[in-house]
Amino acid sequence: MKFLIINGPNLNLLGLREPDIYGKEDFHALQRFIYDCCVEEGIEPVLYQSNHEGAIVDRIQEAYNKVDGIVINPAAYTHTSVAILDALKAVRIPAVEVHLSDVGSRESFRRISYAGMACVGTFAGLGFEGYRKAIRFLKEYLNSQQ
Ligand code: DQA
């Protein structure tokens, strides 16, 4: 199984950005954590980060027929991007949404998730562990579909 793991804007500044909300560990540590989780689950990871909405749309389109699942933290684009929602729906690759913080208990604008409307599950407020849960959930979901 191959998973594309997408991280959206400003997540590359983890550690520096609002550490009270997002933690002190940097993006490199997150990438390594995700990579290790995938390897432990026997999944081939493809890691991608971009600050650009169109680049994320392009990457989702490129994944068509090339990956089995997508784990996505669209960051701020979660709450604004119909384009990312449409791309996920277009390629019909099972996807799971992750947020480091508990978006449901923050500002009201963070309660809307467009990308989440195309996802089979969401994990929020668990920090890095949310990615592990998303990877395991997606693997079990895909196995149950066979
Ligand atoms: C985030 C939550 C978003 O609301 C925010 O814009 C982010 C990160 C999270 O991982 O908690 O950039 O997706």
Side-chain angles (χ1 to χ4, degrees), residues 9 17 22 73 75-76 79 99-101 103 106 110:
R17 93 179 268 224
Y22 298 114
N73 181 347
H79 320 297
H99 299 286
L100 293 162
S101 66
V103 280
R106 297 179 63 193
R110 293 187 204 273

Side-chain angles (χ1 to χ4, degrees), residues 5 11 15-16 22 27 32 36 39-40 47 51 55-56 64 72 77 80 86 89 91 104 123 130-131 142 145:
I5 293 96
L11 290 167
L16 173 76
Y22 298 114
F27 185 63
R32 204 172 44 225
D36 289 347
V39 170
E40 275 167 31
L47 305 180
N51 293 326
I56 293 170
Y64 180 65
I72 183 164
Y77 293 139
T80 62
D86 285 349
K89 285 167 99 172
V91 296
F123 294 89
Y131 288 83
L142 289 166
Q145 299 293 300

Side-chain angles (χ1 to χ4, degrees), residues 29-72:
L30 176 62
Q31 294 283 71
R32 204 172 44 225
F33 179 88
I34 293 168
Y35 184 90
D36 289 347
C37 289
C38 284
V39 170
E40 275 167 31
E41 294 295 328
I43 287 154
E44 184 185 339
V46 180
L47 305 180
Y48 181 74
Q49 190 275 330
S50 178
N51 293 326
H52 304 277
E53 182 178 13
I56 293 170
V57 170
D58 286 345
R59 192 65 194 82
I60 293 168
Q61 290 186 8
E62 278 163 28
Y64 180 65
N65 269 345
K66 296 204 184 82
V67 305
D68 303 292
I70 295 176
V71 172
I72 183 164

